[in-house]
């Protein structure tokens, strides 16, 4: 029987369900470096994981004085969509982990709806969540993580109590947003974009526990649901 102390599990998409963050870091690092802001893929992972491309560009513009938004925003979107269509894969073990979790679930992401649909369809996960797939972009330009807006929206749509919601996140911005929404968080560090202090940063941001493999998600949730 389902434990009634948990209303909802919210999953981030990039880096949690699909192994897309590393692809984005590769594309974005190359474009920034070509435009006069040298940065490695490793630096992209540590500094900007979980941030929207527009927020990354604004941050780099503030740091460097370069004007990049006009020239790079649309260019990156086109290149990234092409790379994801070819290369994106599901996180190992995610379908099995979902089959072991008898709880209501949804996706809350910063990613645009069309890309979410395309990635989830490609890796065979869309049917496991649809129609409960929510994008912060639909809430307005200022609603992206680390704002709590998308998490609160997801909980409202699913008629869930935020205090009885667990979020699975891979980025400090996602963890911060979920905690600001009053939710508990499991940090995931099993994507190809993980870095040496990834777990520490997620814990410092408010995750209660971190896992490095999807097979560990069901027992991690069971340990939090008492």
């Amino acid at each position: 029987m389902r434990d009634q102390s948990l209303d909802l599990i919210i999953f981030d998409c990039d880096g949690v369900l699909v192994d897309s963050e590393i692809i984005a870091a590769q594309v974005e690092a190359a474009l920034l470096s070509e435009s006069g802001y040298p940065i490695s893929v490793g630096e992209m992972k540590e500094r900007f994981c979980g941030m929207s491309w527009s927020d990354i560009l604004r941050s780099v513009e503030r740091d460097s004085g370069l004007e990049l938004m006009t020239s790079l925003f649309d260019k990156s979107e086109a290149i990234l969509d092409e790379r994801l269509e070819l290369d994106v894969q599901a996180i190992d073990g995610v379908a099995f982990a979902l089959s072991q979790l008898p709880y209501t679930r949804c996706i809350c992401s910063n990613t645009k709806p069309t890309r979410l649909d395309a990635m989830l369809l490609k890796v065979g996960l869309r049917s496991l969540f649809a129609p409960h797939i929510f994008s912060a972009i639909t809430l307005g330009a200022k609603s992206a993580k680390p704002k709590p807006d998308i998490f609160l929206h997801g909980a409202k749509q699913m008629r869930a109590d935020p205090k009885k919601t667990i979020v699975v996140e891979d980025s400090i911005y996602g963890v911060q947003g979920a905690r600001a929404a009053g939710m508990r968080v499991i940090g995931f560090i099993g994507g190809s974009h993980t870095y040496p202090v990834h777990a520490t940063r997620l814990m410092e941001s408010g995750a209660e526990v971190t896992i490095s493999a999807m097979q560990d998600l069901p027992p991690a949730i069971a340990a939090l649901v008492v």
Side-chain angles (χ1 to χ4, degrees):
M1 180 179 295
R2 177 183 161 181
D3 192 313
Q4 296 301 312
S5 64
L6 180 59
D7 284 356
L8 176 67
I9 304 175
I10 294 178
F11 290 83
D12 179 38
C13 183
D14 295 274
V16 172
L17 299 175
V18 298
D19 205 7
S20 53
E21 287 284 6
I22 187 64
I23 297 173
Q26 291 167 350
V27 169
E28 292 161 3
L31 287 173
L32 289 173
S33 296
E34 291 167 4
S35 300
Y37 190 82
I39 187 168
S40 68
V41 173
E43 289 175 299
M44 286 295 301
K45 293 188 295 184
E46 289 201 40
R47 289 180 58 186
F48 299 125
C49 174
M51 286 180 68
S52 68
W53 179 228
S54 57
D55 285 342
I56 292 171
L57 289 174
R58 291 188 188 99
S59 177
V60 171
E61 285 182 337
R62 288 193 298 269
D63 183 46
S64 66
L66 296 169
E67 294 185 5
L68 301 172
M69 185 70 72
T70 301
S71 61
L72 291 189
F73 184 81
D74 289 337
K75 185 176 182 180
S76 169
E77 291 293 282
I79 294 171
L80 184 53
D81 281 336
E82 290 176 4
R83 280 287 311 277
L84 291 170
E85 184 177 355
L86 291 172
D87 299 333
V88 74
Q89 297 181 10
I91 292 290
D92 286 346
V94 69
F96 177 76
L98 291 170
S99 75
Q100 303 302 300
L101 294 169
Y103 302 104
T104 301
R105 59 180 175 246
C106 71
I107 293 172
C108 290
S109 173
N110 274 352
T111 297
K112 63 185 181 182
T114 52
R115 184 176 291 160
L116 285 173
D117 276 350
M119 290 192 299
L120 293 167
L121 277 170
K122 183 179 187 301
V123 302
L125 295 178
R126 189 179 185 280
S127 63
L128 301 180
F129 289 93
H132 309 302
I133 302 169
F134 308 115
S135 167
I137 289 176
T138 66
L139 303 181
K142 297 183 179 180
S143 294
K145 305 169 189 178
K147 296 287 185 63
D149 305 29
I150 187 59
F151 295 113
L152 293 172
H153 175 74
K156 183 177 180 180
Q157 295 302 307
M158 304 304 291
R159 300 182 180 179
D161 182 347
K163 294 180 180 179
K164 295 181 179 180
T165 297
I166 292 175
V167 178
V168 186
E169 265 288 353
D170 69 306
S171 77
I172 59 173
Y173 304 102
V175 174
Q176 290 168 352
R179 294 296 296 138
M183 300 172 180
R184 305 175 76 181
V185 186
I186 294 174
F188 182 67
I189 58 169
S192 298
H193 64 295
T194 194
Y195 50 92
V197 294
H198 196 173
T200 299
R201 289 189 176 177
L202 296 183
M203 294 291 285
E204 290 174 346
S205 299
E208 292 186 46
V209 65
T210 63
I211 59 172
S212 59
M214 270 296 160
Q215 67 188 31
D216 298 326
L217 182 59
I221 289 175
L224 295 181
V225 179
V226 293

